Amino acid sequence: MNSISSFQFDHEQLSITWADGAQSVLLALWLRDHCQMPASRNPANGQRLLNITDIPMDIGIANASLEGRCMTVEFTADGHRSEFDTDWLRANCYCLNPQTDDRSEAGKALWERESFSRGLPRCHYAEYCNHADARRGTLQAVRDFGFVILDGVDCASGEIIKVIEQFGFVRETNYGPLFDVRTTVEPNNLAFTNLGLGCHLDNPYRDPVPGLQLLHCLESSTSGGESILQDGFMAADILRRENPDHFALLSRSWINFRFRDTSSDLQARVPFIEINDLDQVIKVRFNNRSIDTLKLPAETLRQFYPAYRHYAEILERDNLQIVFKLQAGELMLFDNTRILHARKAYSTSGTRHLQGAYSDLDGLYSSLRQLEASA
Amino acid sequence: MNSISSFQFDHEQLSITWADGAQSVLLALWLRDHCQMPASRNPANGQRLLNITDIPMDIGIANASLEGRCMTVEFTADGHRSEFDTDWLRANCYCLNPQTDDRSEAGKALWERESFSRGLPRCHYAEYCNHADARRGTLQAVRDFGFVILDGVDCASGEIIKVIEQFGFVRETNYGPLFDVRTTVEPNNLAFTNLGLGCHLDNPYRDPVPGLQLLHCLESSTSGGESILQDGFMAADILRRENPDHFALLSRSWINFRFRDTSSDLQARVPFIEINDLDQVIKVRFNNRSIDTLKLPAETLRQFYPAYRHYAEILERDNLQIVFKLQAGELMLFDNTRILHARKAYSTSGTRHLQGAYSDLDGLYSSLRQLEASA
């Protein structure tokens, strides 16, 4: 780690020059707020014990001194003394370190069909279960590409739940803890027919939307029924490059989605493209089946339609879609805030039986961070 | 319902004057997109069968005619014919109807202590289970005020799960499907001590955050341990009124939250105050224990701290908080995207035992819409 080559302080801030020449300038208030001493933080779990209202806004630095790797700061006002490990200061300093962000488009590998010319991200399920390396690689694929295929998963009903329990928790919905995707009589959703389905994300009418979807193939003897995946973050990025105004409209004009059957009435008011404070994409939604009546103001609506159609047209481009036929024993796991999926129509002879289930991204990312920390 | 007193059309739009004088001006494109005919919509579930890319952007109206309650529109380009029920047109027209939005602050009753001088929203659980009216009123309280208290709930472990299953689904987390809130040895979270806890929302480090929290009191014989609730939407509104710049900073400067123990590392980058496209509050987060290192740019940080402290100071105002002691058999159910909760410290003699669980808002709102539609 880096050591401190020199430092100085005044009432307002502590300025550090590191051995590699990097500079940190740290506000007294930030230092007090981030005190790591046992009176300020629970030593066992790191939870903060003090409230921001415990700290006077005009708090200043009365003294600062360095001994080995320990920077001691004494504060005006309450005379509180904080000791900071210099490694902690370097790793946490807001001048030199970015925020943690593994969910926005910023750190991800956006892809198109050609990105996988050497094969799709996949893993044998037995490997996944028995080797931390395989598990880490698999979850990293979900983080970076938004999806992964597991093969060799037992073709048993309910096995999908066990897969989820390896990294997180099942999100039960009105479709049940798991749902069967096959042709049914009087289906409540077009998914349960043999029709083709255009590229979409599931459940945009649900807030919060389930962050992960799994589809496990138990039987596949029909002709047709190929699966299609595509990267919604890439599509949003293309939209932004081709027409920034269209991108802005779809992120700033929130619309209604809805799904209704005899036992449910699910509604959400959300945007097609959800962005963060840095205008980075964090979630996308798209599902022509469940867009509710558009009730944007008349002048917005006139501009919205061309933007909406442009986005939909990008989502239909062949070069953005990967097409493959899920075989019995294969399971695809994908980020339902990023990856659109579709399927081609299939024959009525033969059987196509998938089981699906939802989960959330928090559990998967938590498991991944644990695996990366212990690697 | 209203009837049409006159209408006219040109290539671009259909203009309607209703019997009550209201005006609708509907774009040809919107009309085609919202066609309700069986070729455009699945008659059973209302799901849209056509894609926006199926519709030419220059589609126009070739003819329009009215017969009784049926407005027939013929389109240029593909010659498609749509029949609209006039009641549908009136109820869905974007000129006369707002978007559906029951989650933002806009339609809710923001409250302070005095708002409940005549008592808190509550319901007997037996009533809730047996009468649709009681169930509807209870769920409406959660929508409008953000919380409700159920009493007479069996003091049995796990009963809380049955309560959730009445309106939605359990959101399992790393704390389990349910968790016990009582003093434990070597707790992984300060919640599981007898310390007081300041006003907070749960799990801001989780994305998506669980939208509902339930706390069920099984035993209450300590002194202290009173519960506190307050309306985070009201607090955000006060902040906006007292200092619009502070409000803007807390909604536009996203920060990191984090919780880590031996088996979890949960992180999210989210704002204190989440707003929609209309700058209305849709979710709030606040939890001093789990705010991760603040790594905002230096110039933002200087402005952020006074805004953050201002918000925290509002959250400590007595007149915004309701204080009550949950008795054995009582269960509080609250919107964890809106309502902050806290508890006072309690004695080590006697027993305080709550069970907690999370759920999501989608299930509750869906149940409520069903109850309201059949009322």
Side-chain angles (χ1 to χ4, degrees):
Chain A
M1 293 295 284
N2 256 281
S3 57
I4 290 177
S5 80
S6 70
F7 70 95
Q8 57 186 81
F9 67 92
D10 58 22
H11 179 84
E12 204 188 8
Q13 55 199 22
L14 172 69
S15 303
I16 295 172
T17 303
W18 299 89
D20 65 355
Q23 302 263 338
S24 296
V25 181
L26 301 168
L27 285 177
L29 190 53
W30 183 91
L31 286 163
R32 181 66 189 90
D33 184 34
H34 289 82
C35 175
Q36 302 290 304
M37 308 289 280
S40 305
R41 293 266 175 176
N42 183 295
N45 59 24
Q47 287 188 309
R48 187 186 274 94
L49 297 170
L50 77 167
N51 295 310
I52 189 67
T53 49
D54 298 332
I55 310 174
M57 277 297 103
D58 61 354
I59 197 167
I61 299 173
N63 196 23
S65 59
L66 181 66
E67 205 177 315
R69 311 191 76 82
C70 179
M71 171 67 77
T72 301
V73 180
E74 283 168 60
F75 295 93
T76 62
D78 63 353
H80 183 83
R81 194 175 59 81
S82 298
E83 295 175 2
F84 294 97
D85 180 87
T86 56
D87 288 350
W88 186 92
L89 280 178
R90 175 72 190 223
N92 284 277
C93 152
Y94 53 86
C95 310
L96 302 173
N97 301 285
Q99 291 189 319
T100 301
D101 177 18
D102 44 20
R103 296 282 275 273
S104 86
E105 62 177 325
K108 301 198 183 290
L110 306 197
W111 55 264
E112 52 188 18
R113 175 179 290 180
E114 215 165 61
S115 313
F116 299 115
S117 55
R118 288 187 296 181
L120 303 180
R122 56 167 64 231
C123 182
H124 278 292
Y125 187 54
E127 288 282 306
Y128 175 88
C129 291
N130 297 317
H131 299 287
D133 280 4
R135 203 146 61 241
R136 191 174 64 248
T138 300
L139 302 186
Q140 282 170 335
V142 179
R143 179 191 62 198
D144 298 339
F145 305 117
F147 75 101
V148 74
I149 294 166
L150 294 172
D151 51 44
V153 180
D154 237 2
C155 288
S157 177
E159 193 67 21
I160 194 169
I161 302 294
K162 295 186 198 161
V163 174
I164 292 176
E165 288 169 350
Q166 295 275 346
F167 62 77
F169 304 96
V170 173
R171 169 90 82 91
E172 188 173 350
T173 70
N174 54 306
Y175 302 113
L178 64 77
F179 47 90
D180 288 283
V181 185
R182 56 183 164 191
T183 304
T184 60
V185 180
E186 293 188 28
N188 73 333
N189 194 304
L190 296 178
F192 310 135
T193 67
N194 70 330
L195 297 176
L197 296 173
C199 270
H200 64 280
L201 295 118
D202 269 24
N203 295 9
Y205 43 76
R206 197 184 298 284
D207 183 13
V209 74
L212 280 171
Q213 184 173 174
L214 294 89
L215 285 169
H216 176 206
C217 182
L218 297 178
E219 231 183 316
S220 172
S221 61
T222 55
S223 62
E226 291 86 354
S227 294
I228 299 170
L229 293 181
Q230 76 175 162
D231 185 357
F233 282 11
M234 172 61 104
D237 184 53
I238 291 171
L239 180 71
R240 178 170 46 202
R241 282 185 272 133
E242 291 183 352
N243 192 324
D245 292 339
H246 283 177
F247 177 90
L249 261 163
L250 297 194
S251 60
R252 282 170 209 158
S253 307
W254 293 28
I255 60 173
N256 282 132
F257 289 90
R258 184 173 194 180
F259 174 80
R260 195 163 27 158
D261 66 7
T262 52
S263 60
S264 301
D265 185 356
L266 293 155
Q267 302 187 31
R269 185 173 177 278
V270 284
F272 274 135
I273 300 174
E274 190 171 330
I275 56 175
N276 65 16
D277 56 331
L278 306 173
D279 286 342
Q280 295 160 336
V281 178
I282 54 171
K283 295 188 182 86
V284 294
R285 296 177 186 83
F286 196 88
N287 193 325
N288 75 294
R289 282 174 289 151
S290 53
I291 297 170
D292 196 9
T293 308
L294 290 175
K295 290 177 184 161
L296 294 165
E299 57 291 11
T300 307
L301 206 56
R302 248 176 235 277
Q303 302 172 306
F304 183 83
Y305 267 113
Y308 165 25
R309 194 178 200 276
H310 183 186
Y311 188 41
E313 180 266 306
I314 292 169
L315 292 172
E316 289 180 1
R317 292 181 193 170
D318 277 347
N319 67 322
L320 298 185
Q321 305 183 339
I322 52 172
V323 184
F324 54 95
K325 190 158 179 175
L326 216 55
Q327 303 299 334
E330 289 185 330
L331 179 153
M332 59 181 180
L333 164 58
F334 52 95
D335 179 342
N336 188 51
T337 68
R338 171 180 175 191
I339 302 297
L340 292 93
H341 63 292
R343 71 148 188 256
K344 300 197 176 182
Y346 57 92
S347 63
T348 48
S349 65
T351 307
R352 182 182 188 268
H353 182 194
L354 306 186
Q355 285 194 323
Y358 299 116
S359 178
D360 281 301
L361 288 164
D362 60 338
L364 184 143
Y365 274 84
S366 175
S367 297
L368 175 55
R369 288 187 200 104
Q370 297 272 102
L371 285 163
E372 291 192 325
S374 62
Chain B
M1 292 292 288
N2 255 282
S3 58
I4 291 177
S5 81
S6 70
F7 70 95
Q8 57 186 82
F9 68 91
D10 59 21
H11 179 84
E12 203 186 9
Q13 56 200 20
L14 171 69
S15 304
I16 296 172
T17 302
W18 300 89
D20 64 356
Q23 300 265 337
S24 295
V25 181
L26 300 168
L27 284 177
L29 189 51
W30 182 91
L31 286 163
R32 179 67 189 90
D33 184 33
H34 290 81
C35 175
Q36 303 290 306
M37 307 291 277
S40 305
R41 295 266 176 175
N42 184 296
N45 58 23
Q47 289 189 307
R48 187 187 274 94
L49 297 170
L50 79 166
N51 296 309
I52 189 66
T53 50
D54 298 332
I55 310 174
M57 278 298 102
D58 60 355
I59 197 167
I61 299 172
N63 196 23
S65 58
L66 180 67
E67 203 177 317
R69 312 191 76 81
C70 178
M71 171 68 77
T72 301
V73 180
E74 283 169 62
F75 294 93
T76 62
D78 62 354
H80 182 83
R81 195 176 57 82
S82 298
E83 294 175 4
F84 294 97
D85 180 88
T86 55
D87 288 349
W88 185 93
L89 279 176
R90 175 73 190 221
N92 285 276
C93 153
Y94 53 87
C95 309
L96 301 174
N97 301 285
Q99 292 190 318
T100 302
D101 177 17
D102 45 20
R103 296 281 275 272
S104 86
E105 62 178 325
K108 301 198 183 290
L110 306 197
W111 55 264
E112 53 188 15
R113 175 180 291 181
E114 216 165 61
S115 313
F116 299 114
S117 55
R118 289 188 293 178
L120 303 179
R122 57 166 62 231
C123 182
H124 278 291
Y125 187 53
E127 289 282 305
Y128 175 89
C129 291
N130 297 319
H131 299 287
D133 281 3
R135 204 149 58 241
R136 191 176 64 247
T138 301
L139 302 185
Q140 281 170 336
V142 178
R143 179 192 61 198
D144 298 339
F145 305 117
F147 76 101
V148 75
I149 295 167
L150 294 173
D151 51 44
V153 180
D154 235 3
C155 288
S157 176
E159 194 67 21
I160 194 170
I161 301 295
K162 295 185 199 160
V163 174
I164 292 176
E165 287 167 351
Q166 296 275 347
F167 61 77
F169 305 97
V170 173
R171 170 90 82 91
E172 187 174 351
T173 71
N174 55 306
Y175 302 113
L178 64 78
F179 48 90
D180 288 282
V181 185
R182 57 182 162 191
T183 304
T184 60
V185 180
E186 294 188 26
N188 73 333
N189 194 305
L190 295 178
F192 310 134
T193 66
N194 69 332
L195 298 174
L197 296 174
C199 270
H200 65 280
L201 296 118
D202 268 23
N203 295 9
Y205 42 75
R206 197 184 299 283
D207 182 14
V209 75
L212 281 171
Q213 183 172 174
L214 294 89
L215 285 169
H216 177 206
C217 183
L218 297 179
E219 232 183 316
S220 174
S221 60
T222 56
S223 63
E226 290 87 354
S227 295
I228 299 170
L229 293 180
Q230 77 176 162
D231 185 356
F233 282 10
M234 172 62 103
D237 184 53
I238 291 171
L239 180 71
R240 179 171 44 202
R241 282 184 272 132
E242 291 184 352
N243 192 324
D245 292 340
H246 283 176
F247 178 89
L249 261 164
L250 296 194
S251 61
R252 282 170 208 159
S253 307
W254 292 28
I255 60 173
N256 283 132
F257 289 91
R258 185 174 191 179
F259 174 81
R260 197 164 24 160
D261 66 6
T262 51
S263 61
S264 301
D265 186 356
L266 293 155
Q267 302 185 30
R269 185 172 177 280
V270 284
F272 274 134
I273 299 173
E274 191 170 328
I275 56 174
N276 65 15
D277 55 331
L278 306 173
D279 286 342
Q280 294 160 336
V281 178
I282 53 171
K283 295 189 181 85
V284 295
R285 296 177 186 83
F286 196 87
N287 193 324
N288 76 295
R289 282 174 289 150
S290 54
I291 297 169
D292 197 9
T293 308
L294 290 175
K295 290 178 184 160
L296 294 164
E299 56 293 8
T300 307
L301 206 56
R302 249 176 235 277
Q303 304 172 303
F304 184 83
Y305 268 113
Y308 166 24
R309 196 179 198 277
H310 183 186
Y311 188 40
E313 180 265 308
I314 292 169
L315 293 173
E316 290 180 2
R317 293 180 193 171
D318 276 348
N319 67 322
L320 298 185
Q321 305 183 340
I322 51 171
V323 184
F324 54 94
K325 191 157 177 175
L326 217 55
Q327 303 299 334
E330 290 184 332
L331 178 151
M332 58 180 180
L333 164 59
F334 52 94
D335 179 342
N336 188 50
T337 68
R338 171 181 175 190
I339 302 297
L340 293 92
H341 63 292
R343 71 145 187 258
K344 299 196 177 184
Y346 57 91
S347 63
T348 48
S349 66
T351 305
R352 182 182 189 268
H353 183 193
L354 306 186
Q355 285 194 322
Y358 300 115
S359 177
D360 280 301
L361 288 164
D362 59 339
L364 185 144
Y365 274 85
S366 174
S367 296
L368 174 55
R369 288 186 201 104
Q370 296 272 104
L371 286 163
E372 290 192 328
S374 62

